[in-house]
Amino acid sequence: MTLLAVERIKFFSTRSPWWCMALALALVVGFGALMAGTSNDIDSVNVPSTQFGFTFGMAVILVLAALAITTEYRFNTIKTTFQAVPNRTSALLAKTTLVALVTGVLGELAAFGAWGMAKLLRPGADLAINSAADWRNVAGTGLVTGLAAVVAIAVGTLIRHTAGAVSVLLAYSLMVEKLIQLIPTAGPKIYQWMPFNVANRFLTGNPDLSPELAGGGPSMSTSTLDPWWALAYFAAFAIVMLTIAVSVAKRRDA
Protein backbone atom coordinates (compact mmCIF):
# COMPACT_ATOMS: atom_id res chain seq x y z
CA MET A 1 0.00 0.00 0.00
CA THR A 2 2.91 2.36 0.70
CA LEU A 3 4.30 1.90 -2.80
CA LEU A 4 0.87 2.47 -4.33
CA ALA A 5 0.48 5.66 -2.30
CA VAL A 6 3.87 6.90 -3.49
CA GLU A 7 3.01 6.13 -7.11
CA ARG A 8 -0.35 7.85 -6.70
CA ILE A 9 1.35 11.00 -5.46
CA LYS A 10 3.88 10.97 -8.29
CA PHE A 11 1.22 10.27 -10.90
CA PHE A 12 -1.20 13.01 -9.91
CA SER A 13 1.40 15.66 -9.00
CA THR A 14 2.23 16.48 -12.64
CA ARG A 15 0.04 18.11 -15.26
CA SER A 16 0.43 15.69 -18.15
CA PRO A 17 -1.76 12.90 -16.67
CA TRP A 18 -4.55 15.38 -15.98
CA TRP A 19 -4.40 16.77 -19.51
CA CYS A 20 -4.34 13.28 -21.00
CA MET A 21 -7.29 12.13 -18.89
CA ALA A 22 -9.29 15.22 -19.82
CA LEU A 23 -8.48 14.75 -23.50
CA ALA A 24 -9.42 11.06 -23.47
CA LEU A 25 -12.75 11.85 -21.82
CA ALA A 26 -13.44 14.74 -24.19
CA LEU A 27 -12.70 12.65 -27.28
CA VAL A 28 -14.80 9.62 -26.32
CA VAL A 29 -17.73 11.57 -24.89
CA GLY A 30 -17.52 14.25 -27.57
CA PHE A 31 -17.54 11.82 -30.49
CA GLY A 32 -20.37 9.86 -28.86
CA ALA A 33 -22.42 13.04 -28.60
CA LEU A 34 -21.47 14.05 -32.15
CA MET A 35 -22.54 10.70 -33.60
CA ALA A 36 -25.87 10.85 -31.81
CA GLY A 37 -26.57 14.51 -32.41
CA THR A 38 -25.77 14.62 -36.12
CA SER A 39 -27.32 11.33 -37.23
CA ASN A 40 -30.28 11.74 -39.57
CA ASP A 41 -31.49 8.19 -38.95
CA ILE A 42 -32.48 7.46 -35.37
CA ASP A 43 -32.16 3.72 -36.05
CA SER A 44 -28.41 4.19 -36.57
CA VAL A 45 -28.05 5.57 -33.04
CA ASN A 46 -27.39 2.47 -30.95
CA VAL A 47 -25.14 1.34 -28.12
CA PRO A 48 -22.11 0.50 -30.34
CA SER A 49 -22.34 3.82 -32.19
CA THR A 50 -21.97 5.73 -28.91
CA GLN A 51 -18.46 4.28 -28.63
CA PHE A 52 -17.26 5.83 -31.88
CA GLY A 53 -14.50 7.70 -30.03
CA PHE A 54 -13.04 4.56 -28.44
CA THR A 55 -10.05 4.35 -30.80
CA PHE A 56 -9.13 7.99 -30.20
CA GLY A 57 -9.50 7.63 -26.45
CA MET A 58 -7.39 4.46 -26.48
CA ALA A 59 -4.59 6.30 -28.29
CA VAL A 60 -4.51 8.98 -25.59
CA ILE A 61 -4.60 6.36 -22.82
CA LEU A 62 -1.59 4.60 -24.36
CA VAL A 63 0.27 7.91 -24.34
CA LEU A 64 -0.80 8.57 -20.75
CA ALA A 65 0.48 5.19 -19.56
CA ALA A 66 3.74 5.48 -21.47
CA LEU A 67 4.40 8.93 -19.98
CA ALA A 68 3.95 7.53 -16.49
CA ILE A 69 7.19 5.57 -16.84
CA THR A 70 9.20 7.38 -19.53
CA THR A 71 9.09 10.73 -17.70
CA GLU A 72 10.82 9.04 -14.77
CA TYR A 73 13.65 8.03 -17.07
CA ARG A 74 13.67 11.45 -18.72
CA PHE A 75 14.10 13.34 -15.44
CA ASN A 76 16.18 10.58 -13.78
CA THR A 77 13.69 10.19 -10.92
CA ILE A 78 13.69 6.46 -11.68
CA LYS A 79 17.12 6.26 -10.03
CA THR A 80 15.71 7.73 -6.83
CA THR A 81 12.80 5.30 -7.02
CA PHE A 82 15.08 2.28 -7.36
CA GLN A 83 17.36 3.55 -4.58
CA ALA A 84 14.38 3.90 -2.26
CA VAL A 85 12.95 0.56 -3.37
CA PRO A 86 15.83 -1.78 -4.27
CA ASN A 87 13.32 -4.42 -5.34
CA ARG A 88 12.69 -3.08 -8.84
CA THR A 89 9.96 -5.61 -9.48
CA SER A 90 7.87 -4.24 -6.62
CA ALA A 91 8.38 -0.65 -7.74
CA LEU A 92 7.40 -1.34 -11.33
CA LEU A 93 4.44 -3.50 -10.36
CA ALA A 94 3.15 -0.76 -8.05
CA LYS A 95 3.36 1.81 -10.84
CA THR A 96 1.70 -0.56 -13.31
CA THR A 97 -1.11 -1.38 -10.88
CA LEU A 98 -1.80 2.29 -10.20
CA VAL A 99 -1.82 3.27 -13.87
CA ALA A 100 -3.94 0.27 -14.86
CA LEU A 101 -6.53 1.11 -12.20
CA VAL A 102 -6.65 4.79 -13.18
CA THR A 103 -6.97 4.07 -16.90
CA GLY A 104 -9.51 1.34 -16.25
CA VAL A 105 -11.72 3.76 -14.33
CA LEU A 106 -11.10 6.39 -17.00
CA GLY A 107 -12.22 3.97 -19.70
CA GLU A 108 -15.43 3.24 -17.79
CA LEU A 109 -16.19 6.93 -17.25
CA ALA A 110 -15.57 7.73 -20.90
CA ALA A 111 -17.66 4.84 -22.22
CA PHE A 112 -20.65 5.46 -19.95
CA GLY A 113 -20.27 9.21 -20.46
CA ALA A 114 -20.52 8.78 -24.23
CA TRP A 115 -23.53 6.49 -23.83
CA GLY A 116 -25.18 8.93 -21.41
CA MET A 117 -24.67 11.90 -23.74
CA ALA A 118 -26.18 9.97 -26.64
CA LYS A 119 -29.18 9.01 -24.49
CA LEU A 120 -29.61 12.63 -23.44
CA LEU A 121 -29.46 13.92 -27.02
CA ARG A 122 -31.56 11.13 -28.55
CA PRO A 123 -34.01 9.91 -25.88
CA GLY A 124 -36.05 8.10 -28.53
CA ALA A 125 -33.17 5.95 -29.78
CA ASP A 126 -32.72 2.32 -28.81
CA LEU A 127 -29.90 2.79 -26.31
CA ALA A 128 -30.93 0.28 -23.68
CA ILE A 129 -28.05 -1.83 -22.39
CA ASN A 130 -29.96 -5.08 -22.22
CA SER A 131 -27.66 -7.73 -23.68
CA ALA A 132 -24.27 -9.23 -22.90
CA ALA A 133 -22.91 -7.69 -26.10
CA ASP A 134 -24.08 -4.22 -25.05
CA TRP A 135 -22.53 -4.57 -21.60
CA ARG A 136 -19.20 -5.70 -23.06
CA ASN A 137 -19.28 -2.87 -25.59
CA VAL A 138 -19.64 -0.24 -22.86
CA ALA A 139 -18.64 -1.66 -19.47
CA GLY A 140 -15.92 -3.81 -21.02
CA THR A 141 -14.03 -0.72 -22.16
CA GLY A 142 -12.45 -0.24 -18.75
CA LEU A 143 -11.00 -3.76 -18.79
CA VAL A 144 -9.45 -3.23 -22.22
CA THR A 145 -8.03 0.22 -21.44
CA GLY A 146 -6.55 -1.02 -18.17
CA LEU A 147 -4.79 -3.91 -19.91
CA ALA A 148 -3.67 -1.64 -22.74
CA ALA A 149 -2.07 0.61 -20.13
CA VAL A 150 -0.07 -2.38 -18.85
CA VAL A 151 1.23 -2.93 -22.40
CA ALA A 152 2.14 0.76 -22.65
CA ILE A 153 4.00 0.66 -19.31
CA ALA A 154 5.95 -2.36 -20.56
CA VAL A 155 6.87 -0.67 -23.84
CA GLY A 156 7.85 2.52 -22.02
CA THR A 157 10.06 0.54 -19.62
CA LEU A 158 11.80 -1.22 -22.50
CA ILE A 159 12.34 1.87 -24.68
CA ARG A 160 12.69 4.45 -21.85
CA HIS A 161 12.31 7.43 -24.22
CA THR A 162 8.95 9.17 -24.46
CA ALA A 163 9.02 9.90 -28.18
CA GLY A 164 10.15 6.39 -29.06
CA ALA A 165 7.66 4.63 -26.80
CA VAL A 166 4.72 6.78 -27.91
CA SER A 167 5.65 6.35 -31.57
CA VAL A 168 5.86 2.57 -31.27
CA LEU A 169 2.58 2.29 -29.36
CA LEU A 170 0.57 4.53 -31.67
CA ALA A 171 2.05 3.16 -34.88
CA TYR A 172 1.48 -0.41 -33.80
CA SER A 173 -2.03 -0.04 -32.41
CA LEU A 174 -3.31 2.21 -35.21
CA MET A 175 -1.45 0.96 -38.30
CA VAL A 176 0.94 -1.97 -38.02
CA GLU A 177 -1.64 -4.60 -37.07
CA LYS A 178 -3.91 -3.60 -39.95
CA LEU A 179 -1.00 -3.54 -42.42
CA ILE A 180 -0.20 -7.15 -41.53
CA GLN A 181 -3.33 -8.11 -43.44
CA LEU A 182 -1.56 -7.07 -46.64
CA ILE A 183 0.90 -9.96 -46.38
CA PRO A 184 -0.10 -12.41 -49.12
CA THR A 185 -1.92 -15.55 -47.94
CA ALA A 186 -0.70 -15.58 -44.33
CA GLY A 187 -1.51 -11.95 -43.46
CA PRO A 188 -5.20 -12.32 -42.56
CA LYS A 189 -4.47 -15.42 -40.47
CA ILE A 190 -1.70 -13.66 -38.56
CA TYR A 191 -3.94 -10.63 -38.04
CA GLN A 192 -6.52 -12.81 -36.29
CA TRP A 193 -4.05 -13.21 -33.41
CA MET A 194 -2.80 -9.63 -33.15
CA PRO A 195 -3.45 -8.40 -29.59
CA PHE A 196 -5.43 -5.22 -30.24
CA ASN A 197 -7.51 -6.96 -32.89
CA VAL A 198 -8.27 -9.69 -30.36
CA ALA A 199 -9.11 -7.06 -27.72
CA ASN A 200 -11.71 -5.63 -30.10
CA ARG A 201 -13.21 -9.10 -30.32
CA PHE A 202 -14.07 -8.86 -26.63
CA LEU A 203 -15.78 -5.51 -27.15
CA THR A 204 -17.65 -6.22 -30.38
CA GLY A 205 -17.71 -9.98 -30.87
CA ASN A 206 -21.18 -11.45 -30.89
CA PRO A 207 -22.95 -13.68 -33.44
CA ASP A 208 -25.98 -11.38 -33.35
CA LEU A 209 -24.03 -8.15 -33.82
CA SER A 210 -23.89 -7.26 -37.50
CA PRO A 211 -21.09 -5.11 -38.97
CA GLU A 212 -23.68 -2.43 -39.72
CA LEU A 213 -24.65 -2.12 -36.05
CA ALA A 214 -21.05 -2.16 -34.86
CA GLY A 215 -19.80 0.23 -37.52
CA GLY A 216 -19.85 3.24 -35.22
CA GLY A 217 -17.84 1.74 -32.39
CA PRO A 218 -14.53 -0.17 -32.10
CA SER A 219 -13.46 -2.01 -35.23
CA MET A 220 -15.06 -5.38 -35.80
CA SER A 221 -12.49 -8.08 -35.09
CA THR A 222 -11.52 -10.96 -37.33
CA SER A 223 -10.50 -13.07 -34.34
CA THR A 224 -12.34 -16.37 -33.97
CA LEU A 225 -12.00 -16.50 -30.18
CA ASP A 226 -14.96 -16.35 -27.86
CA PRO A 227 -15.19 -12.77 -26.44
CA TRP A 228 -14.11 -13.73 -22.91
CA TRP A 229 -11.28 -15.89 -24.23
CA ALA A 230 -10.27 -12.88 -26.32
CA LEU A 231 -10.00 -10.80 -23.15
CA ALA A 232 -7.94 -13.56 -21.51
CA TYR A 233 -5.62 -13.62 -24.55
CA PHE A 234 -5.13 -9.85 -24.39
CA ALA A 235 -4.49 -10.06 -20.64
CA ALA A 236 -1.91 -12.80 -21.20
CA PHE A 237 -0.19 -10.65 -23.83
CA ALA A 238 -0.06 -7.72 -21.40
CA ILE A 239 1.38 -9.91 -18.63
CA VAL A 240 4.05 -11.36 -20.94
CA MET A 241 5.06 -7.87 -22.08
CA LEU A 242 5.26 -6.64 -18.50
CA THR A 243 7.28 -9.70 -17.43
CA ILE A 244 9.81 -9.06 -20.19
CA ALA A 245 10.01 -5.35 -19.32
CA VAL A 246 10.55 -6.01 -15.59
CA SER A 247 13.19 -8.64 -16.38
CA VAL A 248 15.09 -6.22 -18.61
CA ALA A 249 14.78 -3.36 -16.11
CA LYS A 250 16.29 -5.53 -13.36
CA ARG A 251 19.36 -6.34 -15.43
CA ARG A 252 20.33 -2.96 -16.82
CA ASP A 253 21.38 0.35 -15.27
CA ALA A 254 18.61 2.77 -14.40
Side-chain angles (χ1 to χ4, degrees):
M1 291 299 294
T2 301
L3 285 176
L4 285 175
V6 170
E7 291 300 331
R8 175 180 56 80
I9 293 170
K10 288 195 293 184
F11 184 82
F12 289 109
S13 62
T14 57
R15 294 178 182 177
S16 57
W18 292 103
W19 281 109
C20 287
M21 288 188 289
L23 180 59
L25 280 171
L27 286 172
V28 178
V29 176
F31 274 113
L34 184 66
M35 288 293 290
T38 61
S39 177
N40 295 322
D41 182 10
I42 196 170
D43 291 333
S44 66
V45 181
N46 49 62
V47 173
S49 73
T50 65
Q51 305 305 308
F52 180 83
F54 167 78
T55 301
F56 305 100
M58 172 67 85
V60 177
I61 284 173
L62 289 173
V63 173
L64 166 64
L67 285 172
I69 183 66
T70 58
T71 50
E72 289 225 44
Y73 282 104
R74 179 185 176 187
F75 295 109
N76 286 324
T77 56
I78 195 70
K79 293 181 179 180
T80 304
T81 298
F82 288 157
Q83 286 174 351
V85 186
N87 187 338
R88 296 186 178 186
T89 299
S90 297
L92 292 173
L93 288 181
K95 179 180 291 293
T96 303
T97 301
L98 186 280
V99 175
L101 288 174
V102 170
T103 53
V105 172
L106 179 64
E108 292 293 306
L109 290 175
F112 278 100
W115 172 80
M117 283 297 296
K119 197 168 181 63
L120 181 66
L121 293 172
R122 286 297 182 91
D126 182 14
L127 291 169
I129 304 178
N130 51 20
S131 69
D134 290 337
W135 279 109
R136 285 199 312 273
N137 204 238
V138 181
T141 300
L143 295 174
V144 173
T145 53
L147 290 172
V150 175
V151 175
I153 288 283
V155 172
T157 304
L158 290 169
I159 297 178
R160 299 196 290 185
H161 298 286
T162 299
V166 169
S167 298
V168 168
L169 287 165
L170 294 184
Y172 179 80
S173 63
L174 297 177
M175 292 188 300
V176 172
E177 283 197 354
K178 291 180 173 61
L179 290 176
I180 287 175
Q181 298 178 89
L182 301 178
I183 299 174
T185 308
K189 294 180 180 179
I190 296 173
Y191 179 64
Q192 288 182 353
W193 297 97
M194 292 294 97
F196 285 93
N197 177 46
V198 174
N200 281 342
R201 173 66 176 174
F202 169 70
L203 294 173
T204 65
N206 187 282
D208 300 322
L209 193 62
S210 66
E212 289 78 13
L213 287 177
S219 301
M220 289 292 287
S221 174
T222 60
S223 173
T224 57
L225 293 173
D226 176 84
W228 285 101
W229 278 112
L231 180 66
Y233 179 92
F234 190 55
F237 171 76
I239 292 171
V240 169
M241 287 293 297
L242 182 62
T243 301
I244 294 171
V246 170
S247 177
V248 171
K250 289 169 63 177
R251 292 199 304 267
R252 69 186 178 190
D253 294 337

